Amino acid sequence: MRFGVNYTPSVGWFHHWLDFDLDSVRADLDSIAALGLDHVRVFALWPYFQPNRSLVRPRAVEHLLALVDAAGERGLDVNVDGLQGHLSSFDFLPAWTRTWHRRNLFTDPDVIEGQAAYLHTLAAALSGRPNFLGMTLGNEVNQFSAGPHPDPDRATRAQIDTWLQRMLAACEKGAPGRMHLHAEYDATWYQDDQPFTPAQAARLGAVTAVHSWVFNGTAQRHGRASVPAEHHAAYLIELSKAWADDPHRPSGSRRSAPPPPWCPRSTPPPSPRRPSPTPWTARTCGASPGGAPTTSPAPSPTSRNWSTGSVC
């Protein structure tokens, strides 16, 4: 079993890439390591790293490598999200995909070429770092593909299947043998018009990641301390196993903690390693700057590199 966090910088939030301060990052990583955690998930904001389709900023990549190295100095492994287009209700998409240059994120050939080149560049740069676990394509990219997004980039299930395989192949080419995966929010499992499917989640990539937000109606209907809410992540993990071709495929929960009002700020945080029937992190909103603790179910004995994380 592994324990990690989504790294949320205490200074500058995810905009810290614009004014990167390695000393501040080191202080955050010291706090994370002091919690007894073993890895972090890092979000490379896509427009800051690839502001033009043909430009992946070398300086941004250098900052990412510096962060990964600093984590390694503290005994922390790192998973990196590449196409980081969505965080905490904010979309981060490069200008070459929007407005006057509006193109579908999942079907436009030029966009796909640019995305693949970007993911390959990051993976190749990171491949020599021993504490680099692998790439995640992006955080909850499926929210761009259907409602309730106000301006979705619609695609068919077959098109998304092709897109996922292309992006994962780009990561594998850049960093062979690492743990490359994709991670969607739970509409994949519940929303009928989602082109990101349970079969894709359970069969493509190195592991299955579930994002078990309970403000999807579970907490509203049953209460945040209810059995359905506290077992939502465990339910999704078991559901993913039912869809998997490999009965031993590693799976785990990355994002389980609901924001206020479902997680009052006055609620004290638990120990990240407390016994729990589920990777439930509803009480991590009071965690120290730099991240919020979470747990994951035990992976396959042959899979050392399963990564989890949660943030309020």
Side-chain angles (χ1 to χ4, degrees):
M1 183 178 290
R2 301 200 64 172
F3 300 83
V5 296
N6 287 341
Y7 173 47
T8 306
S10 61
V11 177
W13 197 59
F14 297 106
H15 302 296
H16 80 124
W17 297 112
L18 292 173
D19 191 20
F20 187 76
D21 182 351
L22 186 55
D23 288 338
S24 176
V25 169
R26 285 170 173 152
D28 288 343
L29 296 174
D30 285 338
S31 297
I32 292 169
L35 292 171
L37 306 174
D38 59 36
H39 65 282
V40 294
R41 179 181 173 210
V42 173
F43 302 95
L45 289 196
W46 186 14
Y48 300 166
F49 278 71
Q50 192 185 26
N52 187 279
R53 183 165 59 90
S54 62
L55 172 64
V56 178
R57 294 178 53 245
R59 187 62 171 160
V61 176
E62 289 174 8
H63 289 157
L64 176 60
L65 295 177
L67 190 158
V68 172
D69 289 341
E73 292 167 359
R74 288 151 180 81
L76 296 169
D77 291 339
V78 180
N79 175 267
V80 176
D81 277 45
L83 298 169
Q84 198 42 54
H86 181 79
L87 282 166
S88 299
S89 82
F90 291 98
D91 289 347
F92 295 93
L93 296 173
W96 50 273
T97 68
R98 301 293 93 182
T99 61
W100 296 104
H101 300 272
R102 183 69 165 86
R103 299 179 181 189
N104 190 292
L105 297 174
F106 307 111
T107 63
D108 183 89
D110 290 337
V111 172
I112 291 172
E113 286 295 327
Q115 292 169 330
Y118 166 57
L119 290 172
H120 175 268
T121 298
L122 292 190
L126 292 159
S127 63
R129 266 55 182 185
N131 62 318
F132 170 56
L133 294 175
M135 298 292 300
T136 300
L137 300 188
N139 178 55
E140 301 181 345
V141 292
N142 62 316
Q143 66 94 31
F144 289 113
S145 67
H149 194 281
D151 184 24
D153 290 53
R154 297 193 183 276
T156 67
R157 294 181 178 185
Q159 288 170 325
I160 294 300
D161 197 66
T162 298
W163 183 83
L164 286 169
Q165 293 187 60
R166 176 67 186 283
M167 297 303 120
L168 289 166
C171 296
E172 179 64 21
K173 183 178 178 181
R178 301 296 180 127
M179 184 195 68
H180 305 303
L181 68 148
H182 61 104
E184 289 77 48
Y185 85 104
D186 58 3
T188 285
W189 307 97
Y190 297 134
Q191 189 170 317
D192 290 341
D193 68 341
Q194 262 286 331
F196 285 81
T197 67
Q200 293 162 351
R203 299 169 191 171
L204 297 179
V207 296
T208 299
V210 300
H211 288 198
S212 51
W213 295 120
V214 297
F215 57 83
N216 64 350
T218 304
Q220 292 93 322
R221 179 172 183 175
H222 301 286
R224 70 176 185 272
S226 65
V227 170
E230 293 201 349
H231 288 74
H232 186 224
Y235 166 74
L236 285 180
I237 290 168
E238 293 303 313
L239 182 60
S240 78
K241 292 178 181 179
W243 280 91
D245 290 330
D246 179 2
H248 301 293
R249 178 179 170 88
S251 61
S253 177
R254 279 185 147 194
R255 302 183 67 139
S256 305
W262 309 112
C263 176
R265 296 189 183 281
S266 60
T267 307
S271 163
R273 297 180 182 269
R274 69 182 175 88
S276 174
T278 176
W280 172 245
T281 54
R283 297 191 174 92
T284 60
C285 290
S288 60
T294 185
T295 64
S296 73
S300 162
T302 61
S303 175
R304 167 185 172 271
N305 290 334
W306 172 225
S307 171
T308 72
S310 187
V311 63
C312 294

